[in-house]
Amino acid sequence: MVKRRKQEDAVGVLEFEGRSSDDPTFKQWLADHKARNGGKLRVSKGATGVRVMFSKEADMAFWKDRSDVEAKGRKPHAA
C-alpha cells in the first residue's frame, strides 16, 4: 500500500527574527490563528528566529502586519 501525503502549496514563508517557538508572544499568535482559522501552520527553526510557512496569502499578510506593529511598539523600549 502506498501512503499519500497531502501537499499544500506554500504561498510564502516569514521568519520572525529574535523569536523562538517557545516565545510567549509567538505562542499567543499561534493560538489566535488556530481560533480564527481552525488550521495549523508549519513552524520550524530558521537562521535568525522562528520560521512560519503559510498556505494562504491573507494569513501571511496578517502575520506580517502584526509583527511590524509589535516591532514598532517595542522600539522605544529597546532604545
Side-chain angles (χ1 to χ4, degrees):
M1 174 189 258
V2 176
K3 291 186 179 182
R4 294 185 182 195
R5 297 178 80 176
K6 181 180 176 184
Q7 291 186 349
E8 297 179 22
D9 293 328
V11 172
V13 176
L14 291 178
E15 187 164 329
F16 299 97
E17 186 175 337
R19 295 201 184 274
S20 72
S21 59
D22 295 330
D23 186 302
T25 303
F26 184 75
K27 284 184 176 183
Q28 181 182 6
W29 291 357
L30 284 175
D32 178 52
H33 179 85
K34 187 173 183 179
R36 286 186 307 109
N37 297 334
K40 63 180 185 177
L41 300 171
R42 293 184 187 192
V43 179
S44 63
K45 183 177 179 184
T48 61
V50 67
R51 184 178 294 159
V52 183
M53 183 184 300
F54 298 92
S55 59
K56 295 180 183 175
E57 185 75 34
D59 289 342
M60 189 171 89
F62 180 78
W63 277 63
K64 182 167 177 19
D65 289 343
R66 178 171 28 193
S67 175
D68 291 344
V69 166
E70 178 152 326
K72 288 178 185 175
R74 289 192 319 183
K75 280 185 182 178
H77 301 290

